[in-house]
Amino acid sequence: MDLQKWEIAKDSSVDEIPMILNGSKFVTARKKSGNIRYLNVPICFDIEVSSFYQGLSKRAVMYAWVLCIDGFTIFGRDWPSALIAFRRLSETVSAMNDKNCECRAIVYVHNLSYEFQWLRNLLSIKSVFALSERDPIKAELNDLNLEFRCSSACCN
């Protein structure tokens, strides 16, 4: 069996996000507050975390993240690099928007309720829709035109 035929993703860098999204289209959602254009590209984000005890206190650290955009993967090891990736994604989506209305990219996160506990301290959150306390299924950001959605909300 030739394993190269089964390659699913291509490793990429943050600088390649404009090239990855080149030619992508938007879909328009009509809302009471006005039309919103969503980038019609599959995007997902995930982190890997390890926990340990420091004395009697339990601690946790994120040691890796991945942002997947339409089959391309961007990896990082710290939060500053993840924030750079989010910013670059947001800037690219804004630059692609040729209409005079709000645009966003939806970033799917499997089990958003867990990742959100990390992201809420790093990003400026505009609004959250949650099924219950600490169980968000959607979070819109203030300063980036990204919207995080839980990909596992229907599985709970």
Side-chain angles (χ1 to χ4, degrees):
M1 177 187 294
D2 185 6
L3 293 179
Q4 289 182 343
K5 290 182 181 178
W6 294 96
E7 181 179 71
I8 296 173
K10 177 187 178 296
D11 291 350
S12 301
S13 76
V14 171
D15 296 330
E16 293 178 83
I17 290 175
M19 181 276 306
I20 294 168
L21 294 178
N22 187 30
S24 299
K25 306 285 187 214
F26 287 88
V27 294
T28 302
R30 302 195 192 305
K31 301 202 176 204
K32 291 179 184 176
S33 59
N35 292 344
I36 299 176
R37 300 182 77 215
Y38 289 100
L39 187 64
N40 193 19
V41 173
I43 303 171
C44 61
F45 177 75
D46 189 31
I47 63 172
E48 296 302 323
V49 175
S50 182
S51 62
F52 58 93
Y53 282 94
Q54 186 175 29
L56 297 176
S57 300
K58 188 167 186 176
R59 304 279 187 212
V61 293
M62 183 276 297
Y63 63 87
W65 60 265
V66 63
L67 180 67
C68 299
I69 305 172
D70 200 19
F72 292 83
T73 56
I74 301 168
F75 297 93
R77 292 266 182 201
D78 57 23
W79 284 115
S81 61
L83 297 176
I84 289 169
F86 292 150
R87 197 171 307 113
R88 178 60 62 91
L89 176 59
S90 179
E91 290 166 355
T92 303
V93 170
S94 292
M96 294 169 59
N97 185 24
D98 59 353
K99 306 280 190 217
N100 192 17
C101 65
E102 187 176 354
C103 65
R104 289 188 201 143
I106 297 173
V107 179
Y108 288 96
V109 180
H110 199 70
N111 193 11
L112 179 61
S113 60
Y114 184 79
E115 263 84 345
F116 186 74
Q117 299 312 312
W118 295 83
L119 294 170
R120 67 187 174 90
N121 295 318
L122 299 167
L123 301 168
S124 176
I125 307 296
K126 178 179 181 180
S127 67
V128 175
F129 181 78
L131 297 175
S132 62
E133 187 178 1
R134 297 193 187 278
D135 192 13
I137 58 172
K138 181 174 101 170
E140 296 175 25
L141 304 181
N142 269 325
D143 48 352
L144 301 174
N145 54 354
L146 304 178
E147 182 176 304
F148 291 100
R149 290 191 186 180
C150 185
S151 63
S152 61
C154 63
C155 304
N156 294 338

